[in-house]
Amino acid sequence: MTINDIPESLNSKPRTPLPKIKLFTMFRLGLFQMGLGIMSLLTLGVINRIMIDELTVLPWIAATAIAMYQFVSPARVWFGQLSDTKPIKGYHRTGYVWIGAILFTSLAFIALQVVWQLGSSIQATGWSWSSYAWAILLGVIFGGYGLALSISSTPFAAMLVDVSDEDNRSQLIGIVWSMLMVGIVVGAIVSSQLLNTPEICGQAILSYDPTATTKIANIPALKATVNPVFIIMPVVVLVMCFLATWGVESRYSRFGMRSQAVQREDQIGFKDALNVLTASRQTGLFFSFILILTLSLFMQDTVMEPYGGEVFGMCISETTQLNAFFGTGTLFGIASTGFLVVPRLGKQRTTKLGCILAVGCFVLIVLAGAFPSQSLLKSGLLFFGLASGMITAGATSLMLDLTVAETAGTFIGAWGLAQAIARGLSTVLGGVVLNFGKMVFTAPVLAYGLVFVIQGFGMILAIWLLGKVNIQEFRDNAKSALSVVIEGELDG
């Protein structure tokens, strides 16, 4: 028996045309990504800055603890495959999105409370066993945070494949990922206002010893200002996640109509899904490209706000606003790319152009610290955001093309795995390189500049890998492998 011999009666869902997803619904789906942007700001921005600059946590320890949310990323493939094969209340994606959202919004607040304990321990006993224990616990909590993100974000990305068609997918991606940047911008503005208090800006230090270059933070004052932010913002994010996905899958999902094996989901297990995933050498090439690209794009995440604090003398609310410049640039980059650039240049050439522009932006950011010039730094971040937007729109559209309907969740999980591994490595590598730079160079600007230079070289390597990606070769090999899997199961 072959795939074409499968009787239509095996599929209980009527093959009637489904409505095209509307522009309003695209923006509504973007609320989920907007929420993720806000959460990213709270974790990589506020928590990271407080640990390194206010609580004097060693950068590599702070970076490693936070990066644990990315190092649990292999679970993304499993959660993606689980959403393909095990629907919740009849829906393949929505239930997973909601469960994950409840978990990651709760764990963000818990992580902050552990940060206060870590800071108090360092103040009381220095880097003792107690301090290391709190740092390890923080890493464990961020690991749980990462699992919660995987439960939610991987099925959500697969839902984007399910509800879109070839002719509107780039527009959907442009809108949804633009909303991610809206979340970062809005979160940066709101958070900076909530954090713009005397306790945070200039009066959160109880004592400072210039000789020892140490400072003691007023942790109770910090807690009084920061804790409410980590209650209000996650609650808002949770509401946004529910609003984003309510009723979308039931009305627009094409999963059942596209999947040749929708009524045999239990037959396409995790092992078979992995066989389809690894059927083409293009999978490895694209995985490597995503890995290097993401690593090069996000190494500055853990160092940018400390960069603003140490080199430019900014306080927490001011360094938080740096995210608004980057987010605004990315917002315009994604929005313009999805609608204007990709249709003209194509996905691969658009992504390549974005990578080239990003290299130039790293040069601007380094020069900003050499003068130093806050205006040049903000300009560099604005243009870097624009380049990142082009890269995100091009690479994400390319990523969604490199899927097979029957195992969309598994493929999305694999690409998400590459991104998550790279995000985790970039977080740690940023802290490690900064530590190394401070050991080698006496000037802080050179230590931070080393991070940005390495990012530039990584971006050049990503361009070389992108030139070897072939979508048609991937599709031919993956579909052939899928046919073998399904025919084997039917014959069995």
Side-chain angles (χ1 to χ4, degrees), residues 307-421:
Y307 184 47
E310 188 169 356
V311 176
F312 297 89
M314 300 177 177
C315 69
I316 294 177
S317 63
E318 291 173 328
T319 56
T320 300
Q321 287 179 342
L322 292 177
N323 294 280
F325 289 93
F326 173 77
T328 300
T330 308
L331 175 61
F332 281 106
I334 293 177
S336 60
T337 299
F339 287 93
L340 302 175
V341 184
V342 170
R344 289 169 173 78
L345 294 183
K347 296 161 187 175
Q348 284 179 266
R349 283 192 290 177
T350 297
T351 307
K352 180 179 178 180
L353 177 60
C355 291
I356 294 171
L357 293 176
V359 174
C361 293
F362 292 136
V363 175
L364 284 180
I365 292 171
V366 172
L367 290 176
F371 283 103
S373 169
Q374 288 191 25
S375 60
L376 186 58
L377 174 64
K378 293 173 182 177
S379 298
L381 284 172
L382 183 67
F383 286 115
F384 179 48
L386 186 65
S388 297
M390 294 184 67
I391 293 170
T392 299
T396 304
S397 297
L398 196 60
M399 177 186 75
L400 295 186
D401 282 348
L402 291 167
T403 63
V404 178
E406 289 78 5
T407 54
T410 306
F411 277 99
I412 294 298
W415 309 144
L417 171 62
Q419 290 178 312
I421 289 175

Side-chain angles (χ1 to χ4, degrees), residues 94-163:
T94 308
Y96 293 96
V97 173
W98 290 359
I99 291 171
I102 293 171
L103 292 174
F104 70 68
T105 51
S106 302
L107 287 170
F109 179 78
I110 295 173
L112 179 65
Q113 307 317 303
V114 176
V115 166
W116 301 135
Q117 295 299 321
L118 173 60
S120 298
S121 178
I122 294 173
Q123 286 186 2
T125 62
W127 279 102
S128 62
W129 286 108
S130 173
S131 301
Y132 285 113
W134 283 114
I136 291 171
L137 178 60
L138 182 62
V140 171
I141 291 175
F142 268 110
Y145 179 83
L147 288 175
L149 281 178
S150 298
I151 294 171
S152 190
S153 61
T154 302
F156 176 79
M159 183 190 292
L160 298 183
V161 177
D162 296 343
V163 303

Side-chain angles (χ1 to χ4, degrees), residues 423-446:
R423 287 296 297 269
L425 288 175
S426 67
T427 300
V428 174
L429 191 57
V432 170
V433 171
L434 178 58
N435 264 51
F436 175 77
K438 288 187 174 184
M439 292 171 58
V440 174
F441 305 111
T442 56
V445 65
L446 296 178

